[in-house]
C-alpha cells in the first residue's frame, strides 16, 4: 500500500500513562473496549489503566481481566496498573510481585493517595522487588477535604470551597523524600502546582529517581475557566485547574524536562453526574479523543510547545519509564505508528465521540490536529 503523507507527520505511537477505563464496576461511564477505541482515535497506541475500578485492581485475576478485555477491544494496547493497597481502605499492601507477574506495568494509589507515610514507605521498599515504578496521586486528604476548585482569588470570589496547592505539594515533597531514602522508582501523576514543579526540579538535580507528568488541561486552562464558563462542571478536575502562575510553571517544566510526560488522566463520567451543581459533581475530564488536538491547537500551533517536546513527553519518555514499545522502536521491530494531520479540523460534538463520556471542556469547540491513521503492532487499526 502506498500512503501519501504530504503535509502530515509520522509520529511514533503515543502512550497515555494515565487513564481511567471504569471496568469492572462502572461500565455506564466507560468500558475497556470503548476506552481503548477512543484512545486509538485520539492517536494513542498504548494506554495504562488506573486501578480505581470497582473492585480496585488489587488481585492478579483482575489485572489479567483488564489485559484480556484490552486485547479483545483491538484499540490501543491496554496495560493495567496494579493497586498499591487492597480495597478502598488504603490500609494493607497488595501482592505486588504477583500483580506484576499478571501483567501490571506499574502500581498506583490514583484516586486515593496513601495517607500513611509509613505504609507508603513500605510500599516503596516492596515495589523495588518488581522493578516497576510507583505512581503517586499526591493529595493530602485533610487539606483537600470538601474543596471543589483551586483555592485562591477565584474560589474566594465565587464562594466555592478551595483546595490549596499545598494539598498536592506537601505530598510531592513527602513522596520524593521517601523515594530518595528507599531508592525506588517514583512517578508523580498530574502535577498541577508551581511549588510541585520546583520540588521535582530540585529532586532531579540531587539524582532522585523521579519522573512526573502533566495533563493538557492544566497547561491550557486556569481556575478562571470555572468563573468564565459559569460553573461548567467539565472544568471540575482533581487536582484542580490552578492559577496563571501555576500554568506558566507547568509549561516551563515540560519545556525544560522537569516534567517528563504528557498524560490525559482520561476520567469519564456520565452526564447525569456532571449535571449536578459544581460543588457536588464528580472530578474528572474525559481526554482521550481531544487531548492531542487540544495540545496542538492551544500549544504547538501558537509556538509555545515544540513538536519534538510533545513526542518526547507523549511517547519516548513513557516508553522508557514504563518499559513499553512505542517511542523506542528498534530497527527490525514491529512498530506502533500514527499518521498525524496538522490541518484536520473537527467540531467536537456529542455524536462525534467513541468514548461513552463527553465530559470535556472542548465540547462545542473546533479543534485542529488529529490522527488520521494509526498502526498498532504493525497492523492498521484506524483510518484507511
Ligand atoms: O479528576 C480526577 N478524576 N482525578 C482523579 O484523581 C481521579 C479521577 C477519576 O477517577 O475520576
Ligand atoms: Zn489522581
Ligand atoms: Zn487519574
Amino acid at each position: 500500500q502506498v500512503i501519501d503523507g504530504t503535509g502530515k507527520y509520522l509520529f511514533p505511537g503515543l502512550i497515555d500513562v494515565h487513564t481511567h477505563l471504569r471496568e469492572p464496576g462502572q461500565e455506564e461511564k466507560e468500558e475497556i473496549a470503548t476506552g481503548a477505541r477512543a484512545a486509538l482515535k485520539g492517536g494513542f497506541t498504548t494506554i495504562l489503566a488506573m486501578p480505581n475500578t470497582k473492585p480496585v485492581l488489587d488481585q492478579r485475576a483482575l489485572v489479567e481481566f483488564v489485559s484480556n478485555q484490552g486485547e479483545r477491544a483491538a484499540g490501543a494496547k491496554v496495560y493495567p496498573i496494579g493497586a498499591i493497597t487492597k480495597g478502598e481502605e488504603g490500609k494493607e499492601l497488595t501482592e505486588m510481585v504477583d500483580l506484576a507477574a499478571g501483567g501490571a506495568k506499574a502500581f498506583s494509589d490514583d484516586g486515593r493517595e496513601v495517607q500513611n507515610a509509613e505504609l507508603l514507605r513500605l510500599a516503596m521498599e516492596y515495589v523495588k522487588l518488581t522493578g516497576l515504578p510507583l505512581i503517586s496521586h499526591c493529595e493530602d486528604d485533610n487539606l483537600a477535604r470538601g474543596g471543589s476548585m483551586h483555592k485562591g482569588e477565584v474560589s474566594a470570589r465565587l464562594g466555592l470551597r478551595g483546595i490549596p496547592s499545598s494539598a498536592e505539594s506537601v505530598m510531592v515533597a513527602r513522596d520524593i523524600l521517601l523515594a530518595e531514602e528507599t531508592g525506588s522508582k517514583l512517578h508523580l501523576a498530574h502535577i498541577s502546582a508551581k511549588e510541585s514543579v520546583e520540588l521535582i526540579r530540585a529532586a532531579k538535580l540531587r539524582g532522585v529517581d523521579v519522573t512526573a507528568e502533566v495533563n493538557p488541561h492544566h497547561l491550557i486552562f486556569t481556575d478562571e475557566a470555572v468563573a468564565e464558563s459559569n460553573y461548567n462542571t467539565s472544568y471540575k478536575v482533581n487536582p484542580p485547574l490552578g492559577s496563571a502562575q501555576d500554568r506558566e510553571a507547568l509549561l516551563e517544566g515540560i519545556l525544560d524536562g522537569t516534567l517528563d510526560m504528557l498524560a490525559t488522566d482520561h476520567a469519564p463520567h456520565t452526564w447525569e453526574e456532571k449535571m449536578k451543581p459544581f460543588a457536588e459533581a464528580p472530578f474528572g475530564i474525559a481526554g482521550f479523543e481531544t487531548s492531542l488536538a487540544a495540545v496542538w491547537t492551544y500549544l504547538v500551533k501558537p509556538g509555545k510547545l515544540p513538536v519534538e517536546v510533545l513526542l518526547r513527553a507523549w511517547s519516548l519518555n513513557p516508553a522508557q519509564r514504563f518499559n513499553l514499545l512505542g517511542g523506542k522502536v528498534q530497527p527490525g521491530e514491529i512498530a506502533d505508528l500514527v499518521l498525524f494531520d496538522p490541518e484536520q479540523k473537527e467540531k467536537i460534538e456529542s455524536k462525534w465521540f467513541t468514548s461513552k463520556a463527553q465530559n470535556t471542556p472542548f465540547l462545542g469547540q473546533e479543534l485542529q490536529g488529529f490522527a488520521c491513521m494509526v498502526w498498532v503492532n504493525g497492523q492498521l487499526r484506524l483510518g484507511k
Side-chain angles (χ1 to χ4, degrees):
Q1 189 191 359
V2 179
I3 297 159
D4 184 4
T6 309
K8 302 187 174 73
Y9 291 84
L10 188 62
F11 287 169
L14 300 187
I15 299 172
D16 191 358
V17 301
H18 191 153
T19 81
H20 298 272
L21 299 183
R22 309 298 191 209
E23 188 182 347
Q26 294 181 301
E27 289 82 357
E28 70 283 4
K29 294 179 195 248
E30 193 76 287
E31 292 170 28
I32 292 168
T34 54
R37 288 183 208 130
L40 191 74
K41 182 168 153 205
F44 300 101
T45 53
T46 299
I47 60 177
L48 298 193
M50 281 293 181
N52 66 333
T53 46
K54 289 183 188 299
V56 301
L57 306 182
D58 58 3
Q59 289 172 44
R60 183 166 174 170
L62 289 164
V63 163
E64 288 171 345
F65 168 79
V66 171
S67 295
N68 293 337
Q69 292 294 102
E71 226 156 279
R72 285 174 46 186
K77 286 184 269 190
V78 179
Y79 293 116
I81 298 169
I84 295 173
T85 57
K86 291 182 185 166
E88 293 180 31
E89 296 293 302
K91 295 217 167 95
E92 196 186 338
L93 297 183
T94 54
E95 300 293 333
M96 291 184 220
V97 173
D98 197 35
L99 298 186
K105 293 287 182 189
F107 296 93
S108 182
D109 58 0
D110 193 52
R112 204 171 182 291
E113 169 84 57
V114 176
Q115 300 293 309
N116 180 330
E118 186 192 19
L119 188 68
L120 192 68
R121 194 185 184 289
L122 196 62
M124 286 187 180
E125 290 287 5
Y126 199 32
V127 83
K128 282 195 287 182
L129 299 173
T130 68
L132 300 173
L134 185 149
I135 304 175
S136 178
H137 162 85
C138 299
E139 181 183 9
D140 181 285
D141 269 2
N142 292 313
L143 287 170
R145 188 162 293 126
S148 56
M149 69 177 292
H150 174 68
K151 186 175 174 65
E153 185 250 309
V154 182
S155 65
R157 188 177 359 123
L158 297 181
L160 281 171
R161 192 180 169 98
I163 301 172
S165 289
S166 55
E168 173 181 284
S169 57
V170 298
M171 289 313 221
V172 167
R174 182 198 71 168
D175 294 354
I176 285 172
L177 290 170
L178 291 173
E180 186 168 19
E181 196 174 64
T182 57
S184 60
K185 289 191 177 93
L186 176 65
H187 177 76
L188 302 172
H190 47 48
I191 291 303
S192 71
K194 68 174 187 303
E195 295 81 4
S196 306
V197 178
E198 285 158 16
L199 287 161
I200 297 161
R201 189 174 286 124
K204 286 188 164 185
L205 277 173
R206 298 202 298 280
V208 182
D209 191 358
V210 59
T211 52
E213 85 201 18
V214 61
N215 307 144
H217 43 264
H218 292 121
L219 289 171
I220 294 169
F221 303 114
T222 67
D223 56 354
E224 286 288 0
V226 178
E228 280 165 13
S229 71
N230 195 24
Y231 305 94
N232 179 347
T233 59
S234 284
Y235 291 98
K236 182 173 179 181
V237 65
N238 191 17
L241 303 169
S243 67
Q245 294 95 294
D246 290 320
R247 181 173 63 176
E248 202 178 312
L250 294 171
L251 191 59
E252 225 175 85
I254 192 94
L255 289 174
D256 77 4
T258 300
L259 303 174
D260 307 82
M261 300 174 209
L262 281 158
T264 65
D265 195 5
H266 176 75
H269 292 294
T270 62
W271 267 127
E272 208 178 16
E273 292 169 296
K274 279 292 197 180
M275 289 283 279
K276 290 179 182 170
F278 198 88
E280 287 151 47
F283 292 95
I285 294 175
F288 276 150
E289 293 164 85
T290 51
S291 284
L292 175 59
V295 166
W296 194 268
T297 305
Y298 283 89
L299 300 171
V300 180
K301 216 171 153 246
K304 293 181 186 169
L305 187 81
V307 65
E308 296 80 11
V309 177
L310 181 156
L311 294 178
R312 208 182 310 133
W314 242 339
S315 188
L316 181 63
N317 288 344
Q320 281 177 339
R321 185 58 160 173
F322 295 96
N323 197 24
L324 307 161
L325 187 71
K328 57 156 204 181
V329 183
Q330 305 296 324
E333 275 184 347
I334 293 169
D336 293 344
L337 292 169
V338 173
L339 193 67
F340 176 81
D341 184 352
E343 300 301 326
Q344 189 178 329
K345 292 183 178 143
E346 298 283 347
K347 176 97 191 279
I348 311 306
E349 305 173 288
S350 271
K351 62 176 196 292
W352 175 83
F353 286 88
T354 297
S355 168
K356 283 192 172 179
Q358 305 171 7
N359 51 299
T360 158
F362 301 108
L363 193 66
Q365 284 191 38
E366 187 180 84
L367 293 173
Q368 182 179 335
F370 288 86
C372 52
M373 293 176 87
V374 181
W375 292 264
V376 177
N377 287 336
Q379 178 198 13
L380 184 65
R381 287 199 177 169
L382 185 95
K384 50 182 178 333

